[in-house]
Amino acid sequence: DIQMTQSPSSLSASVGDRVTITCRASQGIRNDLGWYQQKPGKAPKRLIYAASSLQSGVPSRFSGSGSGTEFTLTISSLQPEDFATYYCLQHNSYPCFGPGTKVDIK
Amino acid sequence: QVQLQESGPGLVKPSETLSLTCAVSGYSISSGYYWGWIRQPPGKGLEWIGSIYHSGSTYYNPSLKSRVTISVDTSKNQFSLKLSSVTAADTAVYYCARDLAFDYWGQGTLVTVSS
């Protein structure tokens, strides 16, 4: 089974900050990874697919990188609407989400 | 625009079977893709339950496989989840989604397991 870890599990940041979240897979998953944003009471929303491709309609301040076992999601300039929980998902083998990273206001 | 909508009972008794349906609009299931179910216990993370291909072949999370059945009805453009022998640990918001990369999601439905 492929296990996913995320770091940090939570972070506090200010509007305008650059934020980076890391996701690691227990074995190589090529670029079969997506990033999702979830706000309270809402369904997750896909931000990034294939590790680095921006989902249509998602602001360009979001970017993804990585391949193999280590991946990052970067928010270049945090906006008020970006405070949420972020999950990575690998679908190289049976789909498995990371445990999540909660981004809240400093 | 692809839209998914979950429906089913919000309360299920322990040991009984949870049954949910996901109605799809804006895309024909028979055209392709896997169609799946994900759940999220209150205050916790996301767990993939299983998925079904438009042809009917299924793919289940090994940890739930013994209790899960997913089926598809292409004539109604919907697919369904059955989870048997439920316990309080199965209380969660249940989401349906398209593809194994989950590009489109339903809004989710809370299912509580309680007597």
Side-chain angles (χ1 to χ4, degrees), chain B residues 51-66:
Chain B
S51 297
I52 189 165
Y53 198 51
H54 66 94
S55 61
S57 60
T58 52
Y59 187 29
Y60 297 142
N61 187 324
S63 69
L64 296 168
K65 185 175 183 177
S66 63

Side-chain angles (χ1 to χ4, degrees), chain A:
Chain A
D1 296 0
I2 298 177
Q3 305 300 318
M4 305 300 293
T5 58
Q6 272 183 247
S7 60
S9 56
S10 65
L11 65 90
S12 296
S14 301
V15 172
D17 283 354
R18 182 181 182 88
V19 169
T20 299
I21 299 168
T22 297
C23 185
R24 289 185 176 87
S26 58
Q27 61 191 75
I29 58 170
R30 301 182 305 182
N31 70 337
D32 296 329
L33 184 116
W35 289 97
Y36 298 77
Q37 176 194 68
Q38 187 179 34
K39 297 181 179 179
K42 299 294 187 183
K45 171 188 172 183
R46 192 168 74 170
L47 304 173
I48 301 288
Y49 64 96
S52 60
S53 295
L54 190 67
Q55 183 75 30
S56 175
V58 173
S60 59
R61 63 180 180 272
F62 291 94
S63 64
S65 64
S67 182
T69 61
E70 187 159 331
F71 303 85
T72 59
L73 172 70
T74 300
I75 309 171
S76 61
S77 178
L78 198 66
Q79 297 302 300
E81 60 269 29
D82 300 337
F83 292 98
T85 300
Y86 293 84
Y87 295 93
C88 61
L89 164 76
Q90 72 81 16
H91 54 92
N92 180 267
S93 68
Y94 74 79
C96 178
F97 291 91
T101 296
K102 185 175 181 179
V103 177
D104 61 21
I105 301 172
K106 195 176 208 176

